[in-house]
Every structure is written in C-alpha cells, then in structure tokens.
Amino acid sequence: MSNAGKKILLIDDSEFILESTSTLLQFEDYEVFTASDGHKGIQIAIEQKPDLIICDISMPGISGYEVISQLRNNKETASIPFIFLSAFTEKSKMREGMERGADDYLTKPFTKNEIISAINAQWKKYATVEKKMQEKVEEVGKNLNYALPHEFRTVLSQLIGSARLLNWNADSMTTHDIKEVSNDMISVIQRLTRITDNFLLYMKLENISKSKSNIEQLRTQTTIEPLAIISDNLDTIAQKYSRLEDVEILNPVFDIDVAIGSELFAKLVDELFDNAFKFSTSGTKVTVESEVEDENLFLKISDRGIGMTQEQIGSIGAYMQFQRDKYEQQGVGIGLEIARLIATLHNGTMKIVSKKNEGTTIYLSLPLATQNP
C-alpha cells in the first residue's frame, strides 16, 4: 500500500534523531515535518494536521506530555495518532504516556523495523475505525431509503384523502367546512416540505463534512447576537405548540457573535427547540440558559418531558424515529442528527443528557467569531 500523501510530524530535540528518522520515513514515501522542540511541534501540528505524530517525551522547554495534552485539547488535532519516543525504560513512564492519550510508544534507540511496525499498526487501527464508520454511514443510508418512501406515502395519502373529500362533497360543503379541510391540507403540505428540506439539508451537510475546504469556508460565516435569534425562534415554536407561557430564557448573553452562519444557526436551535416541545407537555417549562467561557458560547436547553434511555440516546441518527409507535412523529427522525452535524461542522459540540420520564437536557457549544482588529 502506498504511503504517498500521508504526513508524519517528528518532534525531538535531537538533531540526529530528526535527520535519521525523517530520511528513513521519506524513503517509505511519507511527507515528513520536523520540529526541534514542543512549541514548534504544536504549531506545525495545528497548521499541517499530520496523519501521525511521533514525539520525544523529554525535551527542553515543554515536555512531550505537555505537547500531547495541548493537542488532545484542540478539536482540530485531538484524534491524530500519537506515538511517544522515550529513552526511559521504566514501565511507569510508558504507562503515563499512554494514560495521557498516546496510541503507542517506542524506546530509543529503535530499529527501522520497530518504527515502521509501530506506524503500520496505527494505519491498521485507523482503517478499522474508518471501516466501522463507513458501515454506520451505509446503515444510515439504507434506513433513510426505507424511511423516506414511507414518510412520503403517509403524507401524500393524507393529502389525497383531503382532496377527495373536497371533490366528493364540494356541492354540499359550507365555507367553514372548506376552510377546515384546506387548513388540514396546508398542514400536510408543510409537513411534506419539512421532510424534503430536512433530507436535502442532511445530505448537503454530509457532503460538506467530507471536504476540509468546504468546512473551512463554512466556519468563516458568523451570526450576530445569537440570543436574539434564540428568543425569536423559541417564541415562534412555542406559539406553534400553543405554549408561550412555558418559555423560559435564563442569563441571556449579548454583544457576542458566533462562528456559524445565521441560517444554519437558526436551523440548529429550531430543531432542538421543536424536539423539546414535541416531547414535553403543556405546563412544563422549556428552558434555555447561556454562558460565554473560553471563547465559546455554551447553551443548555432543558425540558421536563418523556426523556430518553441511554440506549435511545446512543442510537440517535438519521434513520431513527423516537418511539414512533407511542408518540406519532412527523419527519424521518433526523432533527437531532442535523443539529449535531451543524454543531460539529462548526467546531462545536452537542451532548444529550436524559432520563426516562424526567426530561432531556442538551448541552451545546459553539465557538465565538474571531473579532477583527
């Protein structure tokens, strides 16, 4: 298998190690970057996003332990395979490196076969993870292919039924009857539109997620005063469910911008708010709390509804419909997955904490937009 295109970063204060190891890896067709100290290594890792990092533990300035700590705390570099180099033979040192998030370690001096084997082991592990992810994507696709036709047939059957009712009884229907049926038809059409729009958006987000340049372009957009959008959208959705009195916004933060376009931000919070109202009852609060910390906007969206089990939370995906047999659900169950995708693509996070029959809380974080001087 060719190694062309794969990038490896070497971090070591030994010039001999850097030169000899980089030469060895270049012969193996890798693109190699080198850094003679931890600070430079971190900078190169963030800029180049290598496929693998090999780093010495004992270095002047900052140690390899600090290097891996900083890189694991950076969302852009957190998942890069990391191999420690160490002159230490004590098992405690090796164990400490693994506990700090290293994937493997090599003891200096090492042979060509040892370092190549360690690197190949990481590629094998990565390929296994990729295979599992691909299987999950294929599973989602298969379930979507089943769910979409079912949803479209259901909605279209309702629409056809209403149209036939108008056609068969047009001569005897009152104006009130006609308005009632037409309102039902409008509601069904809106449902069909939402299903279609959500499916198209989901596929668009999936395509964006496969391109680094598209992701970077997406992250250049901003939303000004996100809490104002939250307030407006929350009221709109509460009104849809006739529950304006159940809205509660705590500690709103203003004078901030977040690094996400306003259209996708509105869609993200719409899906989360709609989920909160859909699975809770009138008279119970839907609460939104906000906080700014470490250059991120943190949102906490809570309801006191039916909640979810850990199994249900773990199975949330584009194909899932939450307890459809008990709580009739419109759409193909991709609302929460769309919200998660939007957050992830913008370097944010979304976590769901829920307890059966007690409610659900969603913790959302989004980075603040960089302020131009």
Side-chain angles (χ1 to χ4, degrees), residues 200-267:
L200 293 175
L201 177 58
Y202 176 79
M203 299 307 297
K204 178 181 177 181
L205 294 172
E206 279 290 305
N207 287 331
I208 289 174
S209 70
K210 299 173 184 176
S211 168
K212 288 185 178 180
S213 61
N214 287 343
I215 293 174
E216 291 171 359
Q217 177 63 32
L218 201 66
R219 293 177 180 178
T220 62
Q221 302 179 43
T222 61
T223 292
I224 300 172
E225 295 292 355
L227 265 294
I229 292 178
I230 285 174
S231 179
D232 290 343
N233 289 21
L234 187 57
D235 283 347
T236 298
I237 293 175
Q239 189 170 11
K240 166 186 166 183
Y241 288 91
S242 302
R243 293 177 57 187
L244 280 173
E245 70 282 357
D246 292 338
V247 172
E248 189 171 44
I249 299 179
L250 304 177
N251 307 318
V253 291
F254 299 103
D255 299 323
I256 61 167
D257 303 342
V258 286
I260 174 175
S262 57
E263 183 176 349
L264 284 180
F265 178 77
K267 178 62 176 176

Side-chain angles (χ1 to χ4, degrees), residues 12 17 54-58 83-87 106 108 110:
D12 200 302
I17 292 289
I54 301 173
C55 180
D56 189 20
I57 291 179
S58 180
I83 298 175
F84 266 134
L85 297 179
S86 175
L106 286 170
K108 295 190 286 186
F110 50 83

